[in-house]
Amino acid sequence: MTNNRYDVIIIGTGAGGGTLAYHLAPSGKRILILERGDYVPREKANWDPQVVNVDAHYNAKESWLDKDGKDLHPHTNYYVGGNTKFYGAALFRLRKEDFGELRHRGGISPAWPLGYDDLEPYYTQAENLYQVHGNRGEDPTEPPANSPYPWPAVSHEPRIQQLSDDFARSGLKPFHVPVGVMLDEKNPHKSRCIRCNTCDGFACLVGAKSDAQVVCIDEAIKHSNVTLLTNSLVKRLETDSSGRQVKGVVVERGGSLETYSADVVVVSCGAINSAALLLRSANDKHPGGLANSSDVVGRHYMGHTNSVMMAISKCPNPTIFQKTLGVNDFYFGSKDFEYPMGHISFVGKLDAITLKAGAPAIAPNFTLELMAKHSLDFWLTSEDLPDPNNRVTIDRDGKIVLEYTPNNLEAHERLQGKLKQAMKQTNCAMHGHECHQGLFGRNLYVGQRIPLAGVAHQNGTIRFGHDPKTSALDVNCKAHEVDNLYVVDGSFFPSSAAVNPALTIMANALRVGDHLMKRLGVSETAYERNRQQDGELAVSR
Ligand SMILES: Cc1cc2nc3c(=O)[nH]c(=O)nc-3n(C[C@H](O)[C@H](O)[C@H](O)COP(=O)(O)OP(=O)(O)OC[C@H]3O[C@@H](n4cnc5c(N)ncnc54)[C@H](O)[C@@H]3O)c2cc1C
Ligand code: SF4
């Protein structure tokens, strides 16, 4: 065995790769984790809205192309922990119905090759691992769960509680959003999370967000059999002459190329970069891209139809941690629209500096500062449907090209309409119905929707399924055509549903991890022993 030979190589440290690395670490197998980025530097700027939202300091410094060949600056992050370093940590299970076929106004959302019940135990594990805070039984669309959330829900601050009460009075069923922050409200003096206003979109300066670095990678590398190489960009995968085995992972590191190999190679670069990596790895056995004789690799790109809507009230909104309230009453439709519309919740509290970067239409008699002080900042998500023409390709130089035509838009417009209606029914003690001044979309977003560069919820580009003609991965997320190649990021989704994707990516990574442990012949006893021994060793090191 040479130094470059491992049992498992995992490429990418985000929700998928990070979670898998954590799960496999106690297996005793030699594991190499390759990450193109570095650690997010810990600095005060982590929490500075100007640096983060206006200067886009932590965004990936590369450009892609859109379908017209114009430069696209993706809002994505290449760091240890991937996009979870910056995520809002709203950790939702998909709805049970999302795993079946669903009829939308814009077409069909296809069924998954496994059912909710197959993933349920892994959702529970993922919620425990990522310390999700929530209350079962409030969300009317919530799927059945075998255990409560590991932590109580993050409480609403007074303005959000008032809104929740208003919504409930008007017949809605508002609920506490499940979030992965290490907040202990009962023991605030001991709480790692300080409940600040720079969480969603920011890296956590005090390491209290349940992201894939803090929760998974930091723990995984305590095991002596696990190696992490940062600043290591995987350029392509090489196969043996049969084309059935990945035999080389070619990495650009410190200005030169190195090749690593493993019995099992797991790609988890995010749905766009993973598809691009397979396409760049074309060879004579895989002329259309690795594992792509179905021609689905890169196709069916989805990223949700998302928008940020600011509801301006006469009453101020001094909320610090705003992402606590959700409304799913319209998720599957309503009496006047029988198709799914989607999910309503919040972004982190917007401030005037952030608003300047994408000034909304100004409400009459308001300045941006006043608007920021008085706004409730909603996040709306609707499902986009898998269209084969929405796709990731690479140009002659290997640069990513992202083509996307939005679909199923009526669902989103209807959802915005429902929110408008719900806000009109709010009734504050001081101003009555007159308190609500209107809904304003952030103009940064063309037509009030998040633009193409907003690839936060990317998924679907290497779909899993039973049929090798219509999917690239089998039900274990192994490539149909390559015996030792797996993909565990958001690529595997056959449909995008309308809740945030990260918990499903994490749960699936744990599921695939169990499959890999069987494949690698890891005994449960050895796994448990290593988990305890290596954990103890790491503490004394
Ligand atoms: C601002 C923001 C807020 C969000 N909020 C939420 C939320 O509240 N809830 C939720 O569920 N989701 C949220 N998301 C989305 C969530 O972060 C993603 O769904 C999730 O991180 C995707 O996981 P992944 O494993 O597919 O990819 P990623 O987390 O993107 O990880 C991919 C990793 O691969 C690395 N990589 C890429 N290419 C290569 C290569 N060639 N070689 C080596 N390494 C490579 C990247 O650097 C990265 O570390 C948010 C995202 C953003 C940006
Ligand atoms: S709210 Fe908590 S977890 Fe989020 S950034 Fe602030 S301290 Fe970190």
Side-chain angles (χ1 to χ4, degrees), residues 197-522:
N197 61 349
T198 46
C199 194
D200 190 8
F202 297 79
C204 179
L205 182 50
V206 295
K209 179 155 43 178
S210 299
D211 63 49
Q213 178 224 315
V214 170
V215 169
C216 292
I217 295 292
D218 289 357
E219 294 305 310
I221 60 177
K222 287 177 182 167
H223 294 260
S224 51
N225 52 308
V226 179
T227 306
L228 166 68
L229 295 181
T230 57
N231 299 303
S232 301
L233 173 67
V234 176
K235 302 287 283 183
R236 64 178 184 278
L237 307 178
E238 290 174 343
T239 64
D240 65 4
S241 55
S242 74
R244 299 280 329 174
Q245 292 279 331
V246 174
K247 74 165 197 327
V249 175
V250 181
V251 182
E252 188 180 84
R253 202 169 154 252
S256 55
L257 291 180
E258 297 168 358
T259 301
Y260 296 86
S261 64
D263 294 346
V264 168
V265 173
V266 185
V267 173
S268 193
C269 305
I272 294 173
N273 273 293
S274 285
L277 178 60
L278 297 196
L279 294 173
R280 287 186 195 115
S281 303
N283 61 27
D284 56 349
K285 286 283 184 294
H286 297 269
L290 190 56
N292 192 27
S293 67
S294 61
D295 192 30
V296 300
V297 173
R299 292 190 186 271
H300 310 107
Y301 168 77
M302 293 167 282
H304 287 152
T305 303
N306 293 311
S307 60
V308 174
M309 303 292 292
M310 300 171 65
I312 310 293
S313 309
K314 284 186 182 161
C315 285
N317 176 16
T319 305
I320 292 169
F321 189 86
Q322 185 174 243
K323 211 166 165 154
T324 58
L325 179 78
V327 173
N328 273 342
D329 295 71
F330 312 111
Y331 196 89
F332 294 115
S334 64
K335 275 192 192 135
D336 56 349
F337 186 70
E338 58 178 305
Y339 302 100
M341 280 176 260
H343 160 74
I344 299 174
S345 60
F346 277 88
V347 287
K349 184 71 204 84
L350 293 175
D351 56 79
I353 295 171
T354 304
L355 279 185
K356 271 181 210 143
I362 308 274
N365 305 321
F366 277 82
T367 60
L368 276 186
E369 281 74 14
L370 257 187
M371 276 185 83
K373 281 199 178 116
H374 288 250
S375 63
L376 291 156
D377 315 290
F378 288 96
W379 170 258
L380 279 69
T381 300
S382 303
E383 179 162 351
D384 56 345
L385 301 169
D387 173 352
N389 297 316
N390 285 342
R391 63 188 296 203
V392 177
T393 51
I394 45 167
D395 75 359
R396 224 182 286 164
D397 305 320
K399 197 167 180 171
I400 290 174
V401 182
L402 184 58
E403 296 178 52
Y404 183 77
T405 306
N407 60 45
N408 200 27
L409 290 181
E410 189 179 344
H412 200 67
E413 283 151 21
R414 295 268 186 170
L415 189 65
Q416 291 178 334
K418 291 290 180 194
L419 176 61
K420 271 184 200 146
Q421 218 176 342
M423 286 309 298
K424 276 192 196 139
Q425 287 166 3
T426 56
N427 188 6
C428 97
M430 195 176 295
H431 309 103
H433 290 297
E434 301 306 310
C435 190
H436 175 60
Q437 301 290 290
L439 267 188
F440 298 83
R442 277 191 72 196
N443 276 7
L444 176 65
Y445 309 127
V446 182
Q448 299 178 351
R449 277 182 281 110
I450 307 285
L452 186 57
V455 293
H457 289 189
Q458 56 183 277
N459 68 83
T461 52
I462 315 177
R463 48 168 38 183
F464 77 155
H466 296 299
D467 185 354
K469 290 201 188 75
T470 56
S471 57
L473 306 175
D474 71 11
V475 84
N476 292 317
C477 289
K478 185 190 85 61
H480 288 298
E481 294 159 36
V482 184
D483 296 330
N484 66 339
L485 175 65
Y486 290 78
V487 182
V488 298
D489 53 33
S491 312
F492 76 100
F493 284 34
S495 70
S496 67
V499 285
N500 313 50
L503 189 75
T504 301
I505 299 171
M506 294 157 179
N508 182 61
L510 294 171
R511 182 185 72 91
V512 174
D514 274 0
H515 160 82
L516 286 176
M517 270 181 306
K518 276 196 202 119
R519 174 180 171 143
L520 295 165
V522 179

Side-chain angles (χ1 to χ4, degrees), residues 14-16 35-36 78-79 82-83 87-90 234 269 323 456 489-490 500 502:
E35 168 54 54
R36 71 184 292 171
Y78 297 147
Y79 289 101
N83 279 295
Y87 75 167
V234 176
C269 305
K323 211 166 165 154
D489 53 33
N500 313 50

